[in-house]
Amino acid sequence: MDISLIHINIMPYHASSLPLVKLVNNGKVCAPRIRNLLGDREASITPKQTHPTSLRFSWRISSSFSSSATESRPIMEDEMKKMERFDSDSAASLLKELRGTFASGKTKSYEWRVQQLKNMIKMIDDNERAIMEALQQDLAKPRFESFVSEISLTKAACNHALKELKHWMKPEKAKTAITTFPSSAEIVSEPFGIVLIISAWNYPFLLSLDPVVGAIAAGNSVVLKPSEISPATSSLLAKLLEDYLDSSAVRVVEGAVAETTALLEQKWDKILYTGNGKVGRIVMAAAAKHLTPVILELGGKSPVVVDSNVNLKVSARRIAAGKWGCNNGQACIAPDYIITTKAYAPTLIDGLKNILEEFFGKDPLESKDLSRIVNSNHFSRLAKLLDEDKVSGKIVHGGQRDETRLMIAPTILLDVPEDSLIMNEEIFGPLLPIITVDKVEDSFDIIKSRSKPLAAYLFTSSKKLEKEFVENISAGGMLINDTVVHLTNPSLPFGGVGESGIGSYHGKFSFDAFSHKKAVLYRSLYGDAPVRYPPYTPGKLRILRAILDGSIIGAILALIGFGKKKLE
Ligand code: NAD
């Protein structure tokens, strides 16, 4: 087999990005997306090793192809510049620059915020095709999904912020207390300063820009670090934000662990991280060193409880859309597992099978409407969940996979053991186990025995069950009789609880997430009562006691010399 290099994709600041290669067998391209077979650590690129003006790329395609190849070509000066490592010093000087911009007050003005949001909308409109192509490269994300769940949601966030910003920025009147009478009070939203946003690969466009919208709306300077696991979108974001937004205040740093570590060493005013809980802990520990507040948008196992009294077709369709129609299950709020009754499980499985065939045809691996698995590491992770001895025999639908194309078909499993891997880690892929119980109410104990999920779903026509579910189950968010779409409502906060995250954003919650709520009390210099000042006397104490007890009559009595002597 002969391997040829068709393009070299160098991410700014990130010399270890992957080469784009294609596999050619007898002159025929046999795996055009071979780049995706390379786990990031399987490809090694060694620039500057042989000659200062030439790049020598070498890589090994390890998993199923054991070949290697090298290619040299002249290096351009600007490429060399881009490949300089982004280290702690680079991070410090970036922050210094952004602090200067923030200190100038530029980002605080309403006009600046509005202009950036408008520019972002223009950026999206001008580049819709490029965005879809990047998502296609990174995840083979269907254009429909790219439009609905990445492009339009990001635009909607900008439009919503533009519409509401004036109102959000207005100080909020607060009640006053008798202790400060006369006075007025308000809550003033002020930007934190310089914020860091670290995003994940599965919705690489939306998850990068949605928080940026909030940070800009709140008047901050921002550094965005997109995920290296979706390099095409990462590079595109770096280019587009530089072209369309004010780069004295909004920057993108591309890279992986080393670059993120360099960023995390700095003192930020707020950090929003999207990703897994293990790295969430690293982010929080780094932030703690500087007392930086964090928002952690994490994941978890989101359950779907299905009662037997539901409309089967609608329920199956909505479960399937939330699972396989969202990046083929690679979504933080995708249904992770179903709980239903033993009696209803066969009906539900039939319903899901029919819908799956309607959605993706008889051979889902050939469907253009299913995303592929992001890379070979995640493919192997999912294969391991499926291949575990106690699980592999439980497949009741699907199970097909094609490693060369990183495709896994929608797969349903029935009654996998509680102690299996698939029931103990977030699946984040197209596998959907079904757990059965005697009574639907028994599902509550199963959910409560686990970490609090990011989302919990219930399909039922019983108002009683619905009420009990809302009252008894703790989750980041909850949706009755549908999946996933609660995230499109900007009036609802989006975030986790416990293991599924800290803090929330979306809509006004994004503005609040990136604003410090400053308490401001206004008093005048007239009407100064001596009662609070020394020398402290029993009479003053009686007056204060009455005031603090909320007794106006007591205060008046004390003022004119009456009232109980409690402490003198
Ligand atoms: P990922 O691999 O893209 O990592 C996320 C970010 O962390 C990246 O920018 C990456 O560069 C950085 N990172 C990785 N290792 C690091 C380290 N050691 N130190 C510092 N930074 C590091 O994404 P992932 O973690 O695979 O994302 C999937 C997880 O994210 C799932 O658990 C999913 O549920 C969750 N998720 C949550 C949301 C949400 O909104 N709550 C959205 C999407 C994904």
Side-chain angles (χ1 to χ4, degrees), residues 263-560:
L263 287 168
L264 285 172
E265 281 165 10
Q266 312 306 312
K267 179 175 168 54
W268 300 88
D269 299 308
K270 183 116 192 191
I271 299 175
L272 184 147
Y273 163 80
T274 304
N276 66 74
K278 196 169 147 234
V279 176
R281 284 167 169 80
I282 296 175
V283 170
M284 198 164 173
K289 285 199 183 124
H290 302 287
L291 282 183
T292 298
V294 292
I295 294 177
L296 301 180
E297 290 286 338
L298 311 177
K301 291 183 83 61
S302 297
V304 187
V305 176
V306 185
D307 200 351
S308 54
N309 54 16
V310 295
N311 175 326
L312 178 63
K313 181 148 193 193
V314 174
S315 306
R317 208 192 256 159
R318 291 181 180 181
I319 294 169
K323 178 71 175 182
W324 300 287
C326 286
N327 217 16
N328 205 4
Q330 301 167 104
C332 57
I333 48 171
D336 189 277
Y337 64 101
I338 288 179
I339 312 177
T340 193
T341 59
K342 281 189 179 48
Y344 193 63
T347 312
L348 179 62
I349 291 168
D350 280 347
L352 286 169
K353 280 182 183 173
N354 290 338
I355 290 298
L356 281 171
E357 194 174 326
E358 201 177 304
F359 281 8
F360 307 114
K362 284 206 181 316
D363 186 359
L365 292 187
E366 293 308 317
S367 172
K368 299 271 172 292
D369 295 332
L370 268 183
S371 298
R372 65 162 160 71
I373 307 308
V374 67
N375 61 22
S376 55
N377 294 342
H378 280 275
F379 187 94
S380 313
R381 179 184 64 75
L382 289 162
K384 193 169 153 205
L385 299 184
L386 215 47
D387 293 343
E388 198 185 0
D389 279 349
K390 49 183 131 181
V391 166
S392 54
K394 305 284 182 181
I395 297 174
V396 290
H397 181 75
Q400 309 91 313
R401 52 185 121 146
D402 176 350
E403 193 176 357
T404 57
R405 293 187 300 137
L406 296 176
M407 288 294 290
I408 299 182
T411 299
I412 303 171
L413 303 103
L414 181 62
D415 282 332
V416 293
E418 278 276 315
D419 64 351
S420 55
L421 282 176
I422 201 168
M423 282 313 294
N424 284 285
E425 48 180 81
E426 184 182 358
I427 296 171
F428 219 62
L431 323 177
L432 182 61
I434 299 180
I435 305 290
T436 56
V437 286
D438 292 329
K439 298 190 302 315
V440 72
E441 291 79 7
D442 297 344
S443 59
F444 288 26
D445 286 340
I446 297 181
I447 300 172
K448 286 202 282 192
S449 69
R450 300 170 162 273
S451 301
K452 294 180 179 179
L454 185 57
Y457 305 112
L458 168 68
F459 285 81
T460 185
S461 54
S462 155
K463 285 287 159 204
K464 181 172 169 279
L465 189 68
E466 189 178 302
K467 187 166 178 287
E468 283 170 4
F469 192 72
V470 174
E471 279 175 5
N472 291 302
I473 301 297
S474 181
M478 202 164 251
L479 181 48
I480 311 296
N481 290 326
D482 208 335
T483 62
V484 170
V485 292
H486 59 303
L487 121 157
T488 61
N489 181 345
S491 305
L492 289 174
F494 184 76
V497 55
E499 287 285 321
S500 56
I502 296 174
S504 59
Y505 71 125
H506 283 193
K508 167 81 158 43
F509 303 97
S510 291
F511 177 84
D512 291 343
F514 291 106
S515 300
H516 164 61
K517 301 290 166 185
K518 187 162 65 184
V520 184
L521 189 74
Y522 298 93
R523 301 208 66 201
S524 94
L525 291 171
Y526 296 105
D528 194 35
V531 65
R532 61 189 253 226
Y533 304 121
Y536 303 134
T537 65
K540 285 182 180 177
L541 188 61
R542 274 202 298 281
I543 294 169
L544 275 182
R545 186 191 290 280
I547 291 172
L548 293 173
D549 285 350
S551 164
I552 301 291
I553 294 175
I556 295 168
L557 286 176
L559 270 173
I560 56 177

